[in-house]
Amino acid sequence: MLILRKHFAMHRKWFATFLAGTAAAVFGYFFWAHQYATRWPGGSSPPGLILGILGGGIIVFECLLWPRRMMRSWRWGSARLWMKAHIWLGLLTVPLILLHSGFVWGGPLSTILAVLFAMVIVSGIFGLAMQQYMPRKMLVDTPLETIYSQIEQAMQMALADAQNLVLATCGLPKESSEVSAQPQPSKETHSLPSKASDKRDGGRVVIGASRQVELIPGQLLRTPVPQVPVANCEVLRQKFNATIKPFLERGRRFRSPLSNRSRSAEFFRQLRAVLDPEAHLVLEAIEECCEQRRQFDLQTRLHWWLHSWLWIHLPLSMALLVLMFVHAYVALKYW
C-alpha cells in the first residue's frame, strides 16, 4: 500500500477519520481532566479506561490482518480496505494509548508494554516507507527484474545462453578433456546444442526459451554469430571460464569485478580490444547477461529490505498482544 501524493485521494477518508478520532480523544481527555481531576488522568480514570479499551480493541483488529491473509475463509473485505484500516487505525492507537497512560511510564509491566508498543509503531512506519520507496527504486534501477522466486532459474538459462555463444564463436576446445566438459543446454531453454550449427538461422543464435503468457507469445532474441569459429578467440573462452561464468553462477557472492558496472565496462572494453570484430556482437550479448545478473542481485537486496522488516514487526506485534491482555488482567485484578 503506497501513500504517495497521486494516491492520497484514496486515503482522504481514512486520514479524516484519523484526525477526527485523535481530536475527539484529546478533547474528551482534557475536558474531563479540567473538570474533574487535579492531575492527568491515568488508565484507571473513566477517560483513561475508555481510551485503553478503544486502543486495545484496535490492536486486536490490527493483529487480525495476518490470519486474514493466511485463511481464505477470513476474506472479509478487500485487501486494499484492510491495509488502509491497518495503517490509519494503527496510527490512531498512538494518541489513544498515550492519553490512556496519563503521560507516565507506570510499573515494570507498563513500561515494557510501552516500549513494545513504540517498537511496533516504528517498525510499521519503517515498513510503510519501504513499500513506498523500494518498488519505485526497483522500477528505475532494475528494468530487467523478474519474479523473485525465479531469479536463479532465469540466471541458469542466461548462463546456458552465454555458454552456447562462446561455443559458437570459439568452436570446440582442442583438448579432449575440455570437449567432454562442455555444458549441454537443458531442454527447457531451447538454446544452442553442442553443435552450434543446429540452432543457427542465417548466422544467428536463439537466446532464451520460447514462452507464452496466456495468449501472448514471448519474443526470442537472436544474437548474430560468425558462420565459422573466429580465429584467435581462445582468450574469450579463458576469460569466460575464469571470470564471467562464475559471476553469472554466483553473482555478488563470487566477489567479481563484474559486480561493479564501471569495472565491468572496463573489463569488456579490454576484452573487445583483443578480439576480432566478428566476435563483438557476441561479446555484447554476454555483457548483457552480466548486466542482468547485476540487476537480479540488486533486486534480491531490495527485496530483502522490502520484506525483512516483517520479521521484526510481526513477532513484536504478537508479543504486544499477549502483554496487553496480561496488563488488562493485572489492572482489573488490583483496581
Side-chain angles (χ1 to χ4, degrees):
M1 179 61 63
L2 305 180
I3 306 179
L4 304 175
R5 180 176 299 178
K6 62 181 180 180
H7 297 149
F8 190 73
M10 298 187 300
H11 296 267
R12 286 176 180 171
K13 293 182 179 179
W14 285 99
F15 181 63
T17 301
F18 165 75
L19 292 180
T22 301
V26 171
F27 176 79
Y29 179 86
F30 285 102
F31 177 81
W32 195 94
H34 177 72
Q35 294 291 330
Y36 304 104
T38 58
R39 60 176 185 174
W40 299 125
S44 60
S45 65
L49 182 61
I50 294 173
L51 294 174
I53 293 174
L54 290 175
I58 292 176
I59 291 175
V60 172
F61 168 78
E62 297 284 287
C63 293
L64 291 177
L65 178 64
W66 312 110
R68 189 266 174 194
R69 285 182 170 179
M70 299 174 62
M71 301 178 62
R72 295 186 179 273
S73 60
W74 286 41
R75 299 298 173 91
W76 306 320
S78 65
R80 178 175 296 181
L81 178 63
W82 274 77
M83 284 304 301
K84 291 177 182 178
H86 188 82
I87 292 169
W88 293 108
L89 294 181
L91 292 175
L92 181 58
T93 59
V94 175
L96 296 182
I97 299 302
L98 183 62
L99 295 174
H100 166 75
S101 68
F103 307 101
V104 295
W105 287 104
L109 179 60
S110 299
T111 300
I112 295 175
L113 195 59
V115 172
L116 266 179
F117 176 74
M119 295 175 67
V120 169
I121 294 297
V122 170
S123 62
I125 293 175
F126 175 81
L128 182 60
M130 290 296 100
Q131 292 179 18
Q132 292 186 75
Y133 173 72
M134 288 302 175
R136 288 185 295 167
K137 185 172 179 61
M138 284 185 181
L139 186 63
V140 174
D141 294 348
T142 59
L144 299 178
E145 70 172 308
T146 186
I147 300 174
Y148 176 76
S149 60
Q150 297 182 0
I151 286 180
E152 291 306 319
Q153 179 183 356
M155 284 313 308
Q156 288 299 320
M157 295 174 64
L159 174 61
D161 294 337
Q163 288 175 316
N164 290 326
L165 285 174
V166 173
L167 177 61
T169 305
C170 302
L172 296 175
K174 296 179 181 180
E175 298 80 358
S176 58
S177 60
E178 291 183 359
V179 172
S180 62
Q182 288 299 320
Q184 299 297 325
S186 62
K187 294 182 180 179
E188 64 176 338
T189 61
H190 297 183
S191 299
L192 183 70
S194 58
K195 293 184 179 180
S197 60
D198 291 345
K199 279 290 184 177
R200 292 193 181 190
D201 180 14
R204 295 174 183 267
V205 173
V206 175
I207 298 301
S210 177
R211 301 178 182 85
Q212 180 167 323
V213 179
E214 295 182 351
L215 300 179
I216 303 175
Q219 298 296 320
L220 290 175
L221 174 64
R222 298 177 181 268
T223 300
V225 295
Q227 292 293 333
V228 295
V230 179
N232 301 321
C233 200
E234 192 62 26
V235 64
L236 174 59
R237 194 196 316 275
Q238 295 173 356
K239 292 291 185 181
F240 180 83
N241 291 330
T243 304
I244 299 174
K245 179 181 178 181
F247 175 67
L248 294 179
E249 287 179 330
R250 301 169 58 188
R252 295 178 68 251
R253 294 172 295 174
F254 180 58
R255 299 186 180 275
S256 169
L258 300 180
S259 298
N260 182 276
R261 185 174 282 110
S262 61
R263 296 176 65 186
S264 176
E266 178 63 20
F267 173 86
F268 282 98
R269 187 190 65 79
Q270 295 178 2
L271 189 56
R272 192 175 291 109
V274 300
L275 288 177
D276 190 284
E278 292 186 19
H280 287 183
L281 288 178
V282 170
L283 194 61
E284 289 179 6
I286 296 175
E287 187 174 8
E288 181 63 23
C289 291
C290 294
E291 173 63 21
Q292 184 179 17
R293 166 53 88 177
R294 282 193 297 272
Q295 292 195 23
F296 283 174
D297 286 345
L298 178 58
Q299 180 186 348
T300 300
R301 297 197 302 272
L302 296 181
H303 185 274
W304 185 88
W305 280 105
L306 183 61
H307 297 281
S308 61
W309 65 275
L310 285 171
W311 294 103
I312 298 176
H313 185 71
L314 182 56
L316 290 179
S317 299
M318 295 299 102
L320 175 66
L321 182 65
V322 172
L323 283 184
M324 183 187 72
F325 282 110
V326 174
H327 170 72
Y329 171 78
V330 172
L332 292 176
K333 180 178 181 180
Y334 295 102
W335 191 9

